[in-house]
Amino acid sequence: MTFKPAHLLVVLLATAIPAMAQNLAMVNGKAIPSSKVELILKQAKAQGQQDTPQLRAQIKDRLIGMEVLLQEAEKTGVAANSEVKTQLEVARQQILIQALMREYVAKNPISDADITAEYNKAKAQAGDKEYHAYHILVEKEDDAKAIISKLKGGAKFDELAKQSKDTGSASKGGDLDWASPATYTKPFADALVALQKGQFTETPVKTEFGFHIIKLDDVRTAKFPTQEEVKQQITEGLQQQKLQTYQQALMKKAKIQ
């Protein structure tokens, strides 16, 4: 079959259009594939942004600008710099590891049963009560004993709390706000729940942070969030646990010298 020039032009245009549609733009003869836009757009949508013509235009401008700079970087030879090579290799490794982790999570999803079990466990650990506590934290046991003596003598707790090592609560009279005993270290929690309202510990409570004098202000029924409210947080926590177990299993099988 013989094509006339007009027919040949039509054929060439027909074959060129699909190829052009696959490219976002051409920069100095080098194509920027449209797939790059879709990748960045996917990431933007995951962060809550809407797919709009304006966003696509911004992404296009950014990719063109990046391509111009990339071509200049290649032209000047910066890719041959040893430090740049190391940075590129580290970035490559990070991308591959992240892809591996995403694939593992996708193939090993967290079940609703797992989420419910973890929720019930956390709820049981938190208990059904919250305590409004105050404390004064010092380095030495003798200093704690001296503060207790002053409190017994009628000194005000909030005034003595100004010398606390815990600067976050010292400026608030030692106020730790409402919390479950499970949020504290065991010696602190045990001493706290043993107090009556208005009482303070008459012997210093030792933890890894130092010596505490603890005062209980009040107790109330705990307001624990619903499972639905913390579902995402629990899911992410369980995913991290699975990933750590996966990595540890790989480390055990690896030959490390």
Side-chain angles (χ1 to χ4, degrees), residues 131-135 175-190 192-193 207-209 212 214:
Y131 292 73
H132 188 190
Y134 290 73
H135 85 139
D175 191 354
L176 294 174
D177 208 345
W178 290 95
S180 162
T183 62
Y184 299 118
T185 58
K186 192 175 187 307
F188 191 106
D190 290 345
L192 176 62
V193 300
T207 70
E208 63 268 36
F209 305 107
H212 306 256
I214 306 166

Side-chain angles (χ1 to χ4, degrees), residues 142-196:
D142 287 343
D143 292 339
K145 289 179 177 179
I147 291 172
I148 291 170
S149 295
K150 291 178 182 178
L151 289 170
K152 289 181 177 179
K156 292 183 177 181
F157 196 98
D158 57 349
E159 286 296 324
L160 295 177
K162 292 178 180 178
Q163 61 187 287
S164 177
K165 280 177 56 185
D166 179 6
T167 54
S169 67
S171 60
K172 300 181 292 184
D175 191 354
L176 294 174
D177 208 345
W178 290 95
S180 162
T183 62
Y184 299 118
T185 58
K186 192 175 187 307
F188 191 106
D190 290 345
L192 176 62
V193 300
L195 292 171
Q196 298 296 316

Side-chain angles (χ1 to χ4, degrees), residues 3-252:
F3 288 103
K4 294 181 179 180
H7 293 157
L8 181 60
L9 179 60
V10 171
V11 172
L12 289 173
L13 287 173
T15 56
I17 288 173
M20 291 173 62
Q22 295 176 2
N23 295 325
L24 174 70
M26 300 287 290
V27 179
N28 296 325
K30 185 174 181 180
I32 302 176
S34 298
S35 57
K36 286 189 176 182
V37 175
E38 299 306 320
L39 177 61
I40 297 176
L41 188 61
K42 181 179 178 181
Q43 295 170 343
K45 288 166 70 176
Q47 296 173 355
Q49 296 188 59
Q50 297 296 317
D51 182 355
T52 64
Q54 292 82 3
L55 178 59
R56 286 179 175 269
Q58 290 174 5
I59 294 173
K60 177 179 179 180
D61 290 343
R62 189 182 359 154
L63 287 173
I64 291 173
M66 288 173 60
E67 180 60 34
V68 169
L69 292 173
L70 180 60
Q71 290 183 19
E72 184 64 21
E74 291 174 344
K75 188 187 301 182
T76 58
V78 295
N81 181 286
S82 60
E83 184 176 343
V84 173
K85 286 183 177 179
T86 301
Q87 291 174 341
L88 287 171
E89 178 57 21
V90 169
R92 187 187 72 86
Q93 292 173 356
Q94 290 175 339
I95 291 169
L96 287 174
I97 291 170
Q98 289 170 1
L100 173 67
M101 295 306 184
R102 284 196 301 270
E103 184 177 275
Y104 181 82
V105 168
K107 290 181 178 179
N108 298 272
I110 305 300
S111 69
D112 289 340
D114 293 333
I115 295 170
T116 298
E118 188 68 15
Y119 175 81
N120 290 336
K121 177 183 174 183
K123 189 174 182 180
Q125 289 177 341
D128 59 354
K129 292 181 180 179
E130 288 181 324
Y131 292 73
H132 188 190
Y134 290 73
H135 85 139
I136 302 170
L137 176 63
V138 292
E139 187 74 38
K140 299 178 181 178
E141 185 176 11
D142 287 343
D143 292 339
K145 289 179 177 179
I147 291 172
I148 291 170
S149 295
K150 291 178 182 178
L151 289 170
K152 289 181 177 179
K156 292 183 177 181
F157 196 98
D158 57 349
E159 286 296 324
L160 295 177
K162 292 178 180 178
Q163 61 187 287
S164 177
K165 280 177 56 185
D166 179 6
T167 54
S169 67
S171 60
K172 300 181 292 184
D175 191 354
L176 294 174
D177 208 345
W178 290 95
S180 162
T183 62
Y184 299 118
T185 58
K186 192 175 187 307
F188 191 106
D190 290 345
L192 176 62
V193 300
L195 292 171
Q196 298 296 316
K197 294 180 185 180
Q199 282 186 333
F200 58 83
T201 51
E202 296 189 4
T203 56
V205 178
K206 184 180 180 181
T207 70
E208 63 268 36
F209 305 107
F211 292 88
H212 306 256
I213 303 94
I214 306 166
K215 178 184 175 182
L216 175 60
D217 179 63
D218 203 357
V219 183
R220 70 183 182 188
T221 301
K223 297 177 181 178
F224 204 76
T226 66
Q227 181 171 320
E228 192 59 35
E229 288 173 333
V230 292
K231 182 177 181 179
Q232 184 63 32
Q233 182 180 344
I234 292 174
T235 301
E236 291 174 357
L238 290 174
Q239 285 175 343
Q240 286 301 315
Q241 290 177 25
K242 277 196 171 186
L243 288 172
Q244 288 174 4
T245 301
Y246 175 53
Q247 182 178 5
Q248 289 168 0
L250 292 174
M251 291 286 288
K252 286 181 181 178

